[in-house]
Amino acid sequence: MSSTGTIEDVSGAWIGGEDHTERSRQTFGDVTPEQSLRLAAREVSSGHPARIEQLADRTWMIQPGIANVALFETDEGLLLVDAGCAGDGAVLRDAVRACSSLPLHTVVFTHGHIDHAFGLWGLLEDGERPRVVAHENLPEHFGRYQKTAGLNARINFQIAGESGKAWPAEPADFPTVDTTYRDTLELLIGGERFVVRHAKGETDDASWVWAPERRVLAVGDLVVGYLPNAGNPRKVQRYAEEWADATEEMAALGAEVVITGHGDCVTGADSVRAELLSITAYLRHIVRHTLDGLNAHRMPDEIVASLEIPEHLAEHPRLQPNYDRPEFICRNVIRRYGGWWDRYPANLLPAPMPDRAREIARLAGGVEHLVERARELSDTDLPLALHLAEWAFLADPDHPDAQECYVEIAAARREAEASIMVKIAYTEPAQWVAAVRTGDGS
């Protein structure tokens, strides 16, 4: 990776690299670099035709771009679960019409994330007038988006589309919800029962839909074909415990199909049950380890460092850390029960990081010594090497060798990681260096 820190570098990490590998497609669907940087823009589509897969009688998974959508046809009309990104609206409309000509009766949002709830406009502009259903926490989720539009645009590496907005920021930018519920809502459509259930997982407004007559679950991001995103270090609290409860509840239903929020769906009763219970076991293992450590008065860093995932879960092909990491989930449980402080007294009211870095450089005999040692360590201990490189850069951001060392070692860490979330984070040194070189302190 170059040290220019361009936005394309970030999008490359976001979708898994320039070659758009099969792993990144399985994780994030058919998202292009352009859409990955403009998730809120209606005018920027995935650039691909929708993938449509019929999974049961009158039941389809539609993948218009980054996220999956579930479509159920009934005698009274269509039930749609989720709607993709804003840019997926037209593609989703065409895909729905390729499956059925019946009117859109009801839409359920599994949660309020930008890749799941913003593509409905394509069907609405085509004249559809469905009832829109979501959990009662979803409007508050949209409210948080409005309050933190600048923050979310930055941490999700978004740039403005033709509207001039990089993130939804006004009430008119959000879909309208007609019906909310608290715990359970039963829908009767075309004489068929659909059960909508609340869960906490990646969000506090999550819903999943059970079609008992079809033995089909549509679950949004509660099942994604990779390690659950229960630990994201840039985002609000996640809920590993309740997530495990939800997948355990689903496993007891005898479903034969799970329509996932991303990636490949799950078919076959045995496969469905095994995957759901594996998610339950994985999350509960992390929660139990973390709470045991907190109750034993162990330091947060020690709790995270001592986390070991059982081999049968660590090697599970659909629980790989392609996006999140188990260490991040562990830290999120610590944050939930133990607060944000890492219990090192100096870190409670710390000196500014650049001041610390300058003092470390002075003690080392100069920035050059930190750079030299960082490069020595890069072959054997990349995590420690990155600390030294970061101190060197923060101690003297204008130092050319410190700049290059910081970018090089962060790039090496990025290449060594499977988690896309981590890869994105390790693009930041290049952006910081670029900002110093161009005089842009943003």
Side-chain angles (χ1 to χ4, degrees), residues 29-99:
D30 278 321
V31 61
T32 61
E34 292 75 20
Q35 190 182 35
S36 73
L37 299 172
R38 297 174 180 84
L39 295 175
R42 289 188 177 187
E43 67 274 8
V44 182
S45 74
S46 69
H48 300 275
R51 172 187 166 198
I52 302 173
E53 184 176 353
Q54 184 165 1
L55 295 167
D57 185 38
R58 305 175 82 183
T59 305
W60 297 268
M61 183 279 289
I62 298 172
Q63 188 183 83
I66 189 173
N68 296 340
V69 174
L71 180 67
F72 299 90
E73 183 185 65
T74 77
D75 292 341
E76 193 177 353
L78 302 175
L79 167 63
L80 190 72
V81 182
D82 283 343
C85 292
D88 297 335
V91 175
L92 176 62
R93 176 200 61 214
D94 294 345
V96 168
R97 288 293 152 242
C99 295

Side-chain angles (χ1 to χ4, degrees), residues 174-201:
F174 295 85
T176 299
V177 176
D178 305 305
T179 301
T180 62
Y181 75 100
R182 177 161 296 175
D183 298 313
T184 302
L185 177 67
E186 294 205 2
L187 305 173
L188 191 64
I189 307 173
E192 185 175 355
R193 186 168 67 100
F194 296 88
V195 182
V196 186
R197 290 279 288 133
H198 175 232
K200 288 184 176 182

